[in-house]
Amino acid sequence: MTIKRLLLGLLTILALFLITHSLLDSWNQPQIQGRLELYQTNLLLQASEWQGDKAGDANLKNARNALLGEDPLRTAQKQYEEARSEDRATLEKLQGQLEKLKSEADLNPNAVRSQPQLPASINKVKKLIAELDLRLGILQAQQGQTDAAIKTWTELINRSKQEAASELQTKPAAILVGLWSEPPSLMLDAQPQIQEHLDGWFRDRALKKLYQVQERQEALAALQAREQERAEAAIVKLAIVGAIPLAGVLMGLGLLIFLVMGVLIKGKEAILAQNADVPWTTPWNAEIIWQVFVVGFFFIGQFLLPLFFSLLPLNRASFDIRTQAAFVLVSYATLAFECLLVLYLSIRSFLPLPEGWFRFNWRGNWILWGLGGYLVALPLVIVVSLINQKLWQGQGGSNPILPIALEGQDSVALAIFFLTAAVAAPLFEEFLFRGFLLPSLTRYMPVWGAIALSSLFFAIVHLNLSEILPLATLGMVLGVVYTRSRNLLAPILLHSLWNGGTLLSLFLLGSGSA
């Protein structure tokens, strides 16, 4: 064994450790999907306040009724109750793990310290449950279930007395209890507390109750006027977030059926069979593939670079949303640069490459392949994601960019996130995974096997358990598009549309809390 292979073997062990640790760490992290559903529910609640008394509002009224259903308040309450139940189950599981570690402390004093994220995860879930309870109580109160609402808020207050370090929202809960009590009681700082701890529809409902108790008619009229403006905007956002993807899913299903029928009828002459069995001429061996990913992607990208950034005199906890977005972009660009540099240094002795490698053909039909692949990916990934949610029950982690983009309503930050997710990521990841890895694997296996293996690897390196199945499905569509089109522009377009659509949906959903 050469020294080079020995070093690669040691770095492989380190890479496997990093992957395993990150995946296990994501086990206890919540998925973003559950939060997305609640954000969409919040938009529905805002839209439900639209009264539609203007001339020419008939179309908007029809759209509202189609989007909201028969009883949006009851539907929202059910979703919040389900979210609270899931979070409580998660909390019990995390607390059980912590107790188990504490019981093992006598035999292994480092047992608790080996899982430093557990206490933080427990406090985070407790805070989420408290936020859900605040909102759930308002939903109950709006449906005339005043006693149930007061009980929900009172239990929250009592919990906070028993768990002083859990950061539960005691004061706003007490304010809400006072507002809906009979007779009502007011705290001096009720309005700023409501504005600080509640948002969107829930803030407006609490403020409306406050103004009614205070008999502030002007403030109440101004609130109702703003509410109608936000309600109309919410209907438009819901149409974009819901109706447009639904149309894409239906088109994708139709296209998928057409492509499959083409294969059944035409066989190897079908569009989907184009280049299906044609491998690339690969001049390097598996050691080069191994070297690029172990050295470039994992050792430098996932170990040295994070270590370097951690040593910089930066307090990331103090970053505002724009600085966070810029930091993510710089980190990602640095990772892409060094990884592509390692790739170039690894294959430069094989230059010039055989025909078909890293092909960018602006005159080809790459737009049709990219758009078609995007439409086909929509129903496939959605179905797999629904199954995936049942498997993971809201756990398994998510891309850390997504919650920041969801909660940070800033146009500059969104533009930076868009540059990262819809431009930088598709360029780098398609060049590496579809441009290099997939063709290289065709030296050792059929094209379909290379698509499957490269897609699985593409999903795993995102380091979130809950995203492996959906990302592997997306990766397979990307692989099929690339192997058939033989043009990297096609999967880059597909990837960009996917990430850009996701970011747009997050921004629209998050804006419902404004």
Side-chain angles (χ1 to χ4, degrees):
M1 178 180 288
T2 64
I3 294 177
K4 176 184 175 183
R5 290 185 178 178
L6 178 61
L7 288 174
L8 283 175
L10 293 174
L11 291 179
T12 301
I13 294 173
L14 175 61
L16 290 173
F17 171 78
L18 291 173
I19 293 172
T20 304
H21 179 268
S22 296
L23 290 175
L24 290 176
D25 187 44
S26 72
W27 179 281
N28 295 320
Q29 299 301 318
Q31 293 181 31
I32 194 175
Q33 187 60 38
R35 296 296 148 191
L36 288 180
E37 291 174 357
L38 291 184
Y39 273 84
Q40 187 163 355
T41 298
N42 295 346
L43 266 181
L44 285 168
L45 290 170
Q46 271 197 349
S48 69
E49 296 301 321
W50 185 71
Q51 296 174 1
D53 54 356
K54 297 179 183 178
D57 280 340
N59 291 333
L60 197 58
K61 186 174 183 179
N62 292 334
R64 172 193 179 278
N65 294 337
L67 289 168
L68 301 184
E70 295 182 0
D71 192 349
L73 285 179
R74 180 57 195 154
T75 301
Q77 181 177 336
K78 183 179 179 181
Q79 289 182 330
Y80 268 84
E81 287 171 347
E82 290 176 353
R84 182 177 62 171
S85 178
E86 289 176 2
D87 283 348
R88 284 181 172 176
T90 299
L91 180 60
E92 290 177 3
K93 184 175 74 172
L94 294 176
Q95 288 175 329
Q97 292 176 3
L98 185 59
E99 290 301 319
K100 183 179 179 181
L101 289 175
K102 288 180 179 179
S103 66
E104 295 172 354
D106 293 337
L107 298 175
N108 180 13
N110 294 320
V112 177
R113 282 179 291 183
S114 66
Q115 297 285 339
Q117 77 280 4
L118 265 181
S121 297
I122 288 172
N123 283 334
K124 183 177 181 180
V125 175
K126 286 180 177 178
K127 186 175 181 180
L128 288 174
I129 293 173
E131 292 172 354
L132 291 175
D133 281 343
L134 279 180
R135 289 155 177 76
L136 181 58
I138 293 176
L139 283 167
Q140 292 168 331
Q142 287 301 113
Q143 297 176 87
Q145 305 167 16
T146 307
D147 292 340
I150 291 176
K151 181 181 178 182
T152 298
W153 294 322
T154 303
E155 287 177 352
L156 171 57
I157 295 169
N158 292 335
R159 252 191 351 262
S160 69
K161 293 177 181 178
Q162 299 171 359
E163 303 172 357
S166 64
E167 300 183 15
L168 299 184
Q169 303 191 35
T170 313
K171 195 162 187 178
I175 289 170
L176 295 176
V177 169
L179 284 176
W180 267 273
S181 295
E182 195 60 48
S185 60
L186 295 176
M187 293 186 179
L188 292 177
D189 58 347
Q191 182 165 332
Q193 284 289 325
I194 289 171
Q195 291 172 330
E196 178 182 353
H197 293 281
L198 292 169
D199 51 34
W201 181 87
F202 298 95
R203 179 194 57 217
D204 290 347
R205 300 282 64 70
L207 287 176
K208 183 177 180 181
K209 183 67 174 179
L210 175 66
Y211 296 156
Q212 288 173 341
V213 171
Q214 293 176 328
E215 297 183 351
R216 295 168 58 187
Q217 297 304 320
E218 290 185 5
L220 186 59
L223 174 64
Q224 290 172 336
R226 290 194 303 270
E227 188 176 69
Q228 289 304 300
E229 294 176 0
R230 288 193 288 263
E232 288 188 21
I235 294 174
V236 175
K237 292 172 185 176
L238 283 170
I240 296 173
V241 171
I244 293 179
L246 178 60
V249 167
L250 295 176
M251 293 172 63
L253 283 173
L255 180 57
L256 184 59
I257 293 170
F258 170 77
L259 292 172
V260 172
M261 291 298 295
V263 172
L264 294 176
I265 296 172
K266 296 183 178 181
K268 291 186 178 181
E269 299 298 320
I271 296 175
L272 204 57
Q274 179 180 321
N275 297 320
D277 300 321
V278 182
W280 276 258
T281 301
T282 306
W284 48 80
N285 58 20
E287 186 173 320
I288 296 295
I289 308 173
W290 182 22
Q291 175 178 298
V292 168
F293 281 93
V294 168
V295 176
F297 195 86
F298 287 107
F299 178 63
I300 300 178
Q302 305 297 322
F303 181 73
L304 289 186
L305 284 181
L307 180 62
F308 168 75
F309 282 117
S310 69
L311 295 176
L312 294 177
L314 300 173
N315 182 13
R316 294 184 60 183
S318 65
F319 285 180
D320 60 20
I321 184 65
R322 295 185 181 182
T323 310
Q324 289 184 60
F327 183 81
V328 169
L329 176 59
V330 170
S331 301
Y332 194 88
T334 307
L335 166 66
F337 174 78
E338 64 79 16
C339 193
L340 293 178
L341 179 62
V342 171
L343 171 60
Y344 169 74
L345 294 175
S346 299
I347 67 173
R348 66 176 176 174
S349 61
F350 301 98
L351 299 175
L353 299 178
E355 185 180 357
W357 279 92
F358 306 112
R359 186 165 176 249
F360 288 81
N361 180 12
W362 293 96
R363 296 182 180 180
N365 55 357
W366 58 276
I367 295 179
L368 292 177
W369 277 107
L371 288 173
Y374 174 72
L375 292 174
V376 169
L378 278 172
L380 293 177
V381 176
I382 287 174
V383 169
V384 172
S385 297
L386 292 174
I387 297 172
N388 198 58
Q389 280 183 263
K390 298 295 182 182
L391 292 174
W392 290 103
Q393 296 294 316
Q395 296 304 113
S398 296
N399 189 318
I401 293 180
L402 301 184
I404 302 174
L406 178 65
E407 297 170 4
Q409 294 298 301
D410 183 280
S411 57
V412 174
L414 180 67
I416 298 173
F417 280 131
F418 187 87
L419 183 62
T420 304
V423 179
L427 284 171
F428 168 57
E429 293 177 14
E430 294 313 304
F431 196 89
L432 184 65
F433 290 98
R434 253 62 62 180
F436 171 71
L437 178 60
L438 191 162
S440 299
L441 292 175
T442 62
R443 175 172 174 170
Y444 300 98
M445 60 188 69
V447 172
W448 66 264
I451 292 173
L453 186 57
S454 62
S455 300
L456 180 61
F457 192 65
F458 166 73
I460 289 174
V461 299
H462 281 77
L463 303 178
N464 287 292
L465 283 170
S466 70
E467 293 188 342
I468 289 178
L469 287 179
L471 284 176
T473 304
L474 177 62
M476 284 188 278
V477 178
L478 287 163
V480 169
V481 165
Y482 180 50
T483 55
R484 274 53 174 179
S485 67
R486 299 297 165 117
N487 189 346
L488 270 173
L489 289 173
I492 287 173
L493 174 61
L494 193 168
H495 201 149
S496 181
L497 289 172
W498 189 271
N499 287 0
T502 300
L503 271 183
L504 177 61
S505 296
L506 289 174
F507 182 77
L508 291 174
L509 290 174
S511 66
S513 299

